[in-house]
PDB file of all heavy atoms in Angstrom:
ATOM      1  N   LEU N 112      85.259  16.474  35.074  1.00  0.00           N
ATOM      2  CA  LEU N 112      86.375  17.191  35.703  1.00  0.00           C
ATOM      3  C   LEU N 112      86.200  17.239  37.219  1.00  0.00           C
ATOM      4  O   LEU N 112      87.173  17.166  37.967  1.00  0.00           O
ATOM      5  CB  LEU N 112      86.476  18.618  35.141  1.00  0.00           C
ATOM      6  CG  LEU N 112      86.995  18.716  33.702  1.00  0.00           C
ATOM      7  CD1 LEU N 112      86.839  20.137  33.163  1.00  0.00           C
ATOM      8  CD2 LEU N 112      88.456  18.280  33.611  1.00  0.00           C
ATOM      9  N   GLN N 113      84.951  17.359  37.644  1.00  0.00           N
ATOM     10  CA  GLN N 113      84.700  17.384  39.096  1.00  0.00           C
ATOM     11  C   GLN N 113      84.954  16.029  39.728  1.00  0.00           C
ATOM     12  O   GLN N 113      85.382  15.938  40.864  1.00  0.00           O
ATOM     13  CB  GLN N 113      83.238  17.731  39.350  1.00  0.00           C
ATOM     14  CG  GLN N 113      82.997  19.206  39.557  1.00  0.00           C
ATOM     15  CD  GLN N 113      81.512  19.472  39.704  1.00  0.00           C
ATOM     16  OE1 GLN N 113      80.739  18.592  40.082  1.00  0.00           O
ATOM     17  NE2 GLN N 113      81.126  20.694  39.409  1.00  0.00           N
ATOM     18  N   ARG N 114      84.657  14.972  38.981  1.00  0.00           N
ATOM     19  CA  ARG N 114      84.645  13.661  39.633  1.00  0.00           C
ATOM     20  C   ARG N 114      85.927  12.857  39.504  1.00  0.00           C
ATOM     21  O   ARG N 114      86.168  11.966  40.311  1.00  0.00           O
ATOM     22  CB  ARG N 114      83.439  12.861  39.143  1.00  0.00           C
ATOM     23  CG  ARG N 114      82.197  13.500  39.778  1.00  0.00           C
ATOM     24  CD  ARG N 114      80.883  12.907  39.424  1.00  0.00           C
ATOM     25  NE  ARG N 114      80.798  11.482  39.388  1.00  0.00           N
ATOM     26  CZ  ARG N 114      79.723  10.825  38.953  1.00  0.00           C
ATOM     27  NH1 ARG N 114      78.669  11.503  38.541  1.00  0.00           N
ATOM     28  NH2 ARG N 114      79.700   9.528  38.937  1.00  0.00           N
ATOM     29  N   THR N 115      86.753  13.148  38.489  1.00  0.00           N
ATOM     30  CA  THR N 115      87.954  12.311  38.355  1.00  0.00           C
ATOM     31  C   THR N 115      88.959  12.612  39.476  1.00  0.00           C
ATOM     32  O   THR N 115      89.163  13.769  39.836  1.00  0.00           O
ATOM     33  CB  THR N 115      88.636  12.499  36.971  1.00  0.00           C
ATOM     34  OG1 THR N 115      89.776  11.657  36.921  1.00  0.00           O
ATOM     35  CG2 THR N 115      89.050  13.936  36.695  1.00  0.00           C
ATOM     36  N   LYS N 116      89.535  11.554  39.999  1.00  0.00           N
ATOM     37  CA  LYS N 116      90.563  11.749  41.044  1.00  0.00           C
ATOM     38  C   LYS N 116      91.943  11.487  40.448  1.00  0.00           C
ATOM     39  O   LYS N 116      92.891  12.191  40.717  1.00  0.00           O
ATOM     40  CB  LYS N 116      90.312  10.784  42.204  1.00  0.00           C
ATOM     41  CG  LYS N 116      88.953  11.024  42.867  1.00  0.00           C
ATOM     42  CD  LYS N 116      89.043  10.953  44.363  1.00  0.00           C
ATOM     43  CE  LYS N 116      87.864  11.608  45.042  1.00  0.00           C
ATOM     44  NZ  LYS N 116      86.555  11.169  44.517  1.00  0.00           N
ATOM     45  N   ALA N 117      91.997  10.466  39.585  1.00  0.00           N
ATOM     46  CA  ALA N 117      93.290  10.088  38.991  1.00  0.00           C
ATOM     47  C   ALA N 117      93.656  10.987  37.803  1.00  0.00           C
ATOM     48  O   ALA N 117      94.782  10.950  37.318  1.00  0.00           O
ATOM     49  CB  ALA N 117      93.232   8.641  38.539  1.00  0.00           C
ATOM     50  N   GLY N 118      92.679  11.776  37.302  1.00  0.00           N
ATOM     51  CA  GLY N 118      92.960  12.622  36.137  1.00  0.00           C
ATOM     52  C   GLY N 118      93.066  11.819  34.847  1.00  0.00           C
ATOM     53  O   GLY N 118      93.645  12.272  33.871  1.00  0.00           O
ATOM     54  N   LYS N 119      92.497  10.610  34.846  1.00  0.00           N
ATOM     55  CA  LYS N 119      92.523   9.780  33.628  1.00  0.00           C
ATOM     56  C   LYS N 119      91.069   9.552  33.204  1.00  0.00           C
ATOM     57  O   LYS N 119      90.351   8.780  33.852  1.00  0.00           O
ATOM     58  CB  LYS N 119      93.180   8.439  33.904  1.00  0.00           C
ATOM     59  CG  LYS N 119      94.691   8.520  34.082  1.00  0.00           C
ATOM     60  CD  LYS N 119      95.196   7.180  34.565  1.00  0.00           C
ATOM     61  CE  LYS N 119      96.697   7.178  34.708  1.00  0.00           C
ATOM     62  NZ  LYS N 119      97.386   6.650  33.545  1.00  0.00           N
ATOM     63  N   VAL N 120      90.679  10.210  32.127  1.00  0.00           N
ATOM     64  CA  VAL N 120      89.277  10.188  31.718  1.00  0.00           C
ATOM     65  C   VAL N 120      89.139   9.507  30.356  1.00  0.00           C
ATOM     66  O   VAL N 120      89.850   9.855  29.410  1.00  0.00           O
ATOM     67  CB  VAL N 120      88.716  11.634  31.656  1.00  0.00           C
ATOM     68  CG1 VAL N 120      87.270  11.639  31.178  1.00  0.00           C
ATOM     69  CG2 VAL N 120      88.817  12.307  33.024  1.00  0.00           C
ATOM     70  N   GLY N 121      88.230   8.570  30.262  1.00  0.00           N
ATOM     71  CA  GLY N 121      87.918   7.937  28.983  1.00  0.00           C
ATOM     72  C   GLY N 121      86.689   8.611  28.379  1.00  0.00           C
ATOM     73  O   GLY N 121      85.822   9.116  29.094  1.00  0.00           O
ATOM     74  N   VAL N 122      86.643   8.628  27.054  1.00  0.00           N
ATOM     75  CA  VAL N 122      85.466   9.167  26.354  1.00  0.00           C
ATOM     76  C   VAL N 122      85.084   8.161  25.287  1.00  0.00           C
ATOM     77  O   VAL N 122      85.945   7.748  24.494  1.00  0.00           O
ATOM     78  CB  VAL N 122      85.774  10.506  25.646  1.00  0.00           C
ATOM     79  CG1 VAL N 122      84.520  11.038  24.956  1.00  0.00           C
ATOM     80  CG2 VAL N 122      86.317  11.542  26.609  1.00  0.00           C
ATOM     81  N   ILE N 123      83.828   7.761  25.256  1.00  0.00           N
ATOM     82  CA  ILE N 123      83.376   6.908  24.157  1.00  0.00           C
ATOM     83  C   ILE N 123      82.249   7.617  23.410  1.00  0.00           C
ATOM     84  O   ILE N 123      81.485   8.389  24.004  1.00  0.00           O
ATOM     85  CB  ILE N 123      82.933   5.503  24.637  1.00  0.00           C
ATOM     86  CG1 ILE N 123      81.875   5.579  25.752  1.00  0.00           C
ATOM     87  CG2 ILE N 123      84.134   4.692  25.086  1.00  0.00           C
ATOM     88  CD1 ILE N 123      81.319   4.209  26.163  1.00  0.00           C
ATOM     89  N   GLY N 124      82.169   7.373  22.117  1.00  0.00           N
ATOM     90  CA  GLY N 124      81.147   8.038  21.312  1.00  0.00           C
ATOM     91  C   GLY N 124      81.137   7.475  19.904  1.00  0.00           C
ATOM     92  O   GLY N 124      81.822   6.492  19.606  1.00  0.00           O
ATOM     93  N   THR N 125      80.371   8.137  19.049  1.00  0.00           N
ATOM     94  CA  THR N 125      80.321   7.726  17.642  1.00  0.00           C
ATOM     95  C   THR N 125      81.622   8.170  16.958  1.00  0.00           C
ATOM     96  O   THR N 125      82.336   9.036  17.489  1.00  0.00           O
ATOM     97  CB  THR N 125      79.142   8.399  16.911  1.00  0.00           C
ATOM     98  OG1 THR N 125      79.370   9.810  16.894  1.00  0.00           O
ATOM     99  CG2 THR N 125      77.813   8.097  17.585  1.00  0.00           C
ATOM    100  N   PRO N 126      81.924   7.645  15.765  1.00  0.00           N
ATOM    101  CA  PRO N 126      83.131   8.100  15.066  1.00  0.00           C
ATOM    102  C   PRO N 126      83.152   9.617  14.866  1.00  0.00           C
ATOM    103  O   PRO N 126      84.193  10.255  15.045  1.00  0.00           O
ATOM    104  CB  PRO N 126      83.055   7.357  13.719  1.00  0.00           C
ATOM    105  CG  PRO N 126      82.268   6.106  14.023  1.00  0.00           C
ATOM    106  CD  PRO N 126      81.261   6.508  15.075  1.00  0.00           C
ATOM    107  N   ALA N 127      81.998  10.221  14.538  1.00  0.00           N
ATOM    108  CA  ALA N 127      81.964  11.682  14.313  1.00  0.00           C
ATOM    109  C   ALA N 127      82.354  12.433  15.582  1.00  0.00           C
ATOM    110  O   ALA N 127      83.120  13.400  15.541  1.00  0.00           O
ATOM    111  CB  ALA N 127      80.570  12.123  13.858  1.00  0.00           C
ATOM    112  N   THR N 128      81.834  11.987  16.707  1.00  0.00           N
ATOM    113  CA  THR N 128      82.130  12.669  17.974  1.00  0.00           C
ATOM    114  C   THR N 128      83.597  12.507  18.336  1.00  0.00           C
ATOM    115  O   THR N 128      84.269  13.473  18.695  1.00  0.00           O
ATOM    116  CB  THR N 128      81.232  12.088  19.097  1.00  0.00           C
ATOM    117  OG1 THR N 128      79.875  12.317  18.731  1.00  0.00           O
ATOM    118  CG2 THR N 128      81.530  12.722  20.438  1.00  0.00           C
ATOM    119  N   ILE N 129      84.106  11.299  18.232  1.00  0.00           N
ATOM    120  CA  ILE N 129      85.493  11.048  18.658  1.00  0.00           C
ATOM    121  C   ILE N 129      86.471  11.759  17.718  1.00  0.00           C
ATOM    122  O   ILE N 129      87.407  12.414  18.163  1.00  0.00           O
ATOM    123  CB  ILE N 129      85.769   9.519  18.721  1.00  0.00           C
ATOM    124  CG1 ILE N 129      84.871   8.874  19.789  1.00  0.00           C
ATOM    125  CG2 ILE N 129      87.242   9.232  18.996  1.00  0.00           C
ATOM    126  CD1 ILE N 129      84.962   9.461  21.181  1.00  0.00           C
ATOM    127  N   GLU N 130      86.205  11.689  16.400  1.00  0.00           N
ATOM    128  CA  GLU N 130      87.123  12.342  15.457  1.00  0.00           C
ATOM    129  C   GLU N 130      87.145  13.860  15.623  1.00  0.00           C
ATOM    130  O   GLU N 130      88.137  14.509  15.352  1.00  0.00           O
ATOM    131  CB  GLU N 130      86.752  11.987  14.010  1.00  0.00           C
ATOM    132  CG  GLU N 130      87.262  10.610  13.623  1.00  0.00           C
ATOM    133  CD  GLU N 130      86.557  10.061  12.395  1.00  0.00           C
ATOM    134  OE1 GLU N 130      86.103  10.864  11.547  1.00  0.00           O
ATOM    135  OE2 GLU N 130      86.461   8.809  12.285  1.00  0.00           O
ATOM    136  N   SER N 131      86.034  14.438  16.087  1.00  0.00           N
ATOM    137  CA  SER N 131      85.981  15.905  16.255  1.00  0.00           C
ATOM    138  C   SER N 131      86.881  16.372  17.399  1.00  0.00           C
ATOM    139  O   SER N 131      87.252  17.541  17.449  1.00  0.00           O
ATOM    140  CB  SER N 131      84.553  16.355  16.535  1.00  0.00           C
ATOM    141  OG  SER N 131      84.227  16.081  17.897  1.00  0.00           O
ATOM    142  N   ARG N 132      87.218  15.500  18.312  1.00  0.00           N
ATOM    143  CA  ARG N 132      88.067  15.800  19.481  1.00  0.00           C
ATOM    144  C   ARG N 132      87.490  16.874  20.411  1.00  0.00           C
ATOM    145  O   ARG N 132      88.207  17.452  21.224  1.00  0.00           O
ATOM    146  CB  ARG N 132      89.481  16.211  19.040  1.00  0.00           C
ATOM    147  CG  ARG N 132      90.182  15.135  18.225  1.00  0.00           C
ATOM    148  CD  ARG N 132      91.503  15.645  17.670  1.00  0.00           C
ATOM    149  NE  ARG N 132      92.489  15.744  18.737  1.00  0.00           N
ATOM    150  CZ  ARG N 132      93.368  14.817  19.012  1.00  0.00           C
ATOM    151  NH1 ARG N 132      93.384  13.707  18.312  1.00  0.00           N
ATOM    152  NH2 ARG N 132      94.230  14.994  19.981  1.00  0.00           N
TER     153      ARG N 132
END
Side-chain angles (χ1 to χ4, degrees):
L112 288 171
Q113 267 176 24
R114 288 179 43 187
T115 180
K116 299 222 162 50
K119 287 171 178 265
V120 178
V122 181
I123 54 175
T125 64
T128 299
I129 297 305
E130 281 162 28
S131 78
R132 301 173 73 96

